[in-house]
Amino acid sequence: MTAEAAQGYDVRSARPKRADARRNYERLLAEARTAFTEHGTDVALEDIARRAGVGIGTLYRHFPNRTALIGAVFYGELDALLARSRELARAPQPCRALIDWLRAVIDHAGTYRGLSRAFLCAAAEGSAELTRCSEPIHRAGSALLTRAQQAGSVRADVEIADLMQLTNAIALAVEQSPDDPGLADRLLTLTFTGLKAR
């Protein structure tokens, strides 16, 4: 989802959305956020439309598919993750800052059951909707990774795309093991054992 779409513009026609269309869009996003939190990203789109008080056709006019809706919900919540990355960019230990950032990404992905799987699939399929969401995250993570590499803490051949794939995989593993609260930290520790500069 683009910034223009988030601000109430109809990207396809390059015109501002009508007030009623903007209200429907915002209601759909709010209900999708609630439904994804309560039931996961596989919840029926018809249920989201019904909860928003609109028909399924209205939902599809705003979001042509499930991935577009997931992307729109996630895009609207990037600010907190990006603010955290800016805060960590000033932390005294670059490697610790990178680990803390990845932990924040894992925690955020855990807000919605199925989000990690959606991002893993999007990476494999080249989904435009979720790619637009992941780009700011990749840029933020890349800055932290570069800083850790320049400090000599992380191997020079590590790339942010691979690191984000690993992070999504960890988030998915955590989602599948709700009774193991220490799993994310253990897997991140194992990951960084392999990433450390020799």
Side-chain angles (χ1 to χ4, degrees):
M1 183 178 132
T2 64
E4 291 81 4
Q7 295 170 2
Y9 285 85
D10 183 336
V11 177
R12 289 167 291 194
S13 65
R15 292 188 315 242
K17 290 183 180 180
R18 295 185 335 256
D20 59 335
R22 190 167 49 251
R23 277 192 302 274
N24 288 341
Y25 177 88
E26 290 166 1
R27 271 202 310 267
L28 283 163
L29 271 186
E31 292 300 338
R33 191 173 293 115
T34 300
F36 290 165
T37 301
E38 293 174 354
H39 308 291
T41 56
D42 290 334
V43 66
L45 297 183
E46 291 81 1
D47 289 347
I48 293 172
R50 182 177 40 75
R51 289 168 64 154
V54 301
I56 190 65
T58 299
L59 184 147
Y60 281 121
R61 274 195 296 280
H62 290 289
F63 309 102
N65 52 50
R66 180 181 303 276
T67 304
L69 181 56
I70 293 170
V73 168
F74 189 74
Y75 188 91
E77 299 181 0
L78 284 180
D79 286 347
L81 277 176
L82 298 179
R84 181 69 174 137
S85 74
R86 290 189 295 272
E87 175 187 319
L88 289 168
R90 298 186 298 273
Q93 296 178 305
C95 187
R96 181 77 249 170
L98 178 60
I99 294 169
D100 288 347
W101 159 248
L102 295 176
R103 186 65 165 100
V105 172
I106 290 167
D107 289 344
H108 184 77
T111 305
Y112 305 118
R113 193 172 67 252
L115 184 61
S116 299
R117 187 174 64 250
F119 270 101
L120 284 168
C121 292
E125 298 166 4
S127 164
E129 291 87 357
L130 290 184
T131 297
R132 280 193 291 269
C133 290
S134 64
E135 284 171 355
I137 295 176
H138 279 226
R139 283 194 300 272
S142 184
L144 293 169
L145 172 60
T146 298
R147 188 168 173 255
Q149 288 170 323
Q150 289 172 344
S153 303
V154 174
R155 289 171 20 198
D157 62 341
V158 176
E159 296 182 3
I160 192 60
D162 294 336
L163 202 47
M164 295 310 299
Q165 285 282 77
L166 281 170
T167 303
N168 278 326
I170 291 171
L172 183 57
V174 169
E175 179 184 307
Q176 300 299 317
S177 305
D179 298 328
D180 188 353
L183 182 60
D185 291 323
R186 291 200 313 275
L187 292 177
L188 272 175
T189 299
L190 283 172
T191 298
F192 272 87
T193 299
L195 297 177
K196 283 183 182 176
R198 304 252 180 249

